[in-house]
Amino acid sequence: MAAANPGAAAAVVVPEALRGVKALTFDVFGTVVDWRSSVEAELAQRAAEKLALPASASLPAAAGARLAAMTSGDWAAFAQEWRESYYAFTRGFVPGSSSAWKDVDEHHLESLLALLDARGLADVFSEDEARELSRAWHRLRPWPDAVPGLRRLGAARFVTATLSNANRELLSDLDAYAGGGGLGFARILSAADFTAYKPHPRTYLGAAAALGLRPDEVAMVAAHLGDLAGARACGLRTIYVERPGEEAWDPAEERYVEARRWVDLWVAEQEGGFLEVARRLGIADETSRPGEVE
């Protein structure tokens, strides 16, 4: 009998609940792309550019003083409030109500204008400049593991698709912004396709139907347990990928403790993100030995 190789990796056993999965749908903001550092950096950069204008094009004195007083911490708080307004907007929309459909781009612009006004910065940016700044959400950097992980998952047996509240133009721009071959998704699915925002059941069930699959043949991948709870309620499988600063549920809350029991696959923050998802789903990388995955 050959001696055991003490350096060999332990065999990976794919969770039983995920063995019949054929497609993976991904939340995007926060799960695939790092919105926080991207938006904070663009806000600070646009402010610095305004403050560097020559005297002949200087800002109104009061607005300029307020802009100059903004710190990196202030811009971080601004970005967080902008993000929270998005959550309120998507959860407040009721499909089938008298409210007309509004996409995320439209919301981001309206929210930006309101946030600037609340801080006395309404005169800082022109209408065109504010519109362009609102599109900072089209220029978000992917997490380091996102592109290689998505490509590894997509090259194997899974169909990979976005399932985001973002509108299609925004998602297409994020894909292009990643450079090269894009983020690596086989399909782009948006909540706009189903005229409902997550966590409305129409989004999850609509995605499964669009992929030609039963809900239990689809796994939702997200960095937000609320998103996964909505998917689970519709019969989808669940994969949680922790990202810094993304989880709204407190670990001390009972719902968080309960989620540790029902999430089908849980990847902690320092475990490798999508590359670790691929490994635990039985996709060997180029350094794996035959037989290490089962």
Side-chain angles (χ1 to χ4, degrees):
M1 178 183 296
N5 181 356
V12 173
V13 179
V14 177
E16 184 175 355
L18 297 173
R19 292 180 187 176
V21 165
K22 298 177 182 178
L24 305 174
T25 54
F26 290 76
D27 171 67
V28 176
F29 292 152
T31 302
V32 177
V33 295
D34 175 10
W35 69 266
R36 191 181 306 276
S37 67
S38 301
V39 171
E40 288 176 12
E42 182 147 351
L43 287 168
Q45 177 187 337
R46 299 289 177 134
E49 290 170 353
K50 278 292 181 179
L51 292 169
L53 288 172
S56 60
S58 61
L59 300 169
R66 283 189 285 267
L67 187 65
M70 292 286 286
T71 66
S72 59
D74 292 329
W75 288 122
F78 189 108
Q80 182 64 42
E81 192 171 346
W82 203 0
R83 174 66 168 164
E84 288 169 0
S85 76
Y86 158 89
Y87 279 125
F89 160 65
T90 55
R91 281 156 178 73
F93 180 82
V94 180
S97 69
S98 58
S99 299
W101 177 257
K102 182 193 296 185
D103 68 26
V104 169
D105 270 343
E106 188 177 353
H107 162 73
H108 277 153
L109 176 58
E110 291 179 358
S111 178
L112 173 64
L113 294 174
L115 290 168
L116 289 170
D117 185 58
R119 287 165 172 77
L121 301 173
D123 295 333
V124 168
F125 300 102
S126 69
E127 182 179 340
D128 287 344
E129 288 170 336
R131 185 173 297 278
E132 180 58 24
L133 179 53
S134 76
R135 292 173 69 85
W137 297 90
H138 291 235
R139 299 180 285 272
L140 307 179
R141 293 182 293 274
W143 294 106
D145 59 84
V147 172
L150 282 166
R151 292 183 181 170
R152 187 172 296 176
L153 289 161
R157 62 185 180 276
F158 299 108
V159 175
T160 58
T162 63
L163 181 51
S164 172
N165 284 335
N167 43 293
R168 279 185 166 273
E169 181 190 1
L170 197 163
L171 292 171
S172 295
D173 283 352
L174 286 177
D175 191 56
Y177 190 73
L183 291 168
F185 287 106
R187 297 280 300 275
I188 299 293
L189 297 177
S190 164
D193 299 337
F194 316 113
T195 60
Y197 286 115
K198 294 184 298 179
H200 194 280
R202 190 186 295 176
T203 58
Y204 305 109
L205 296 174
L211 294 168
L213 299 171
R214 301 190 311 268
D216 65 311
E217 294 177 314
V218 180
M220 185 73 206
V221 184
H224 314 106
L225 291 169
D227 195 352
L228 295 183
R232 177 175 178 258
C234 293
L236 279 70
R237 304 308 188 189
T238 55
I239 298 175
Y240 183 59
V241 179
E242 290 184 8
R243 299 295 194 191
E246 283 303 302
E247 185 50 62
W249 294 8
D250 191 294
E253 291 183 77
E254 181 60 28
R255 60 181 178 173
Y256 185 99
V257 175
E258 283 291 326
R260 294 299 305 233
R261 292 191 276 270
W262 58 253
V263 166
D264 297 314
L265 178 59
W266 189 297
V267 176
E269 190 174 314
Q270 301 300 322
E271 290 185 329
F274 293 173
L275 291 171
E276 179 64 7
V277 171
R279 189 187 75 82
R280 294 201 209 169
L281 290 180
I283 302 169
D285 65 24
E286 61 275 8
T287 63
S288 297
R289 297 178 178 83
E292 286 183 0
V293 176
E294 62 182 49

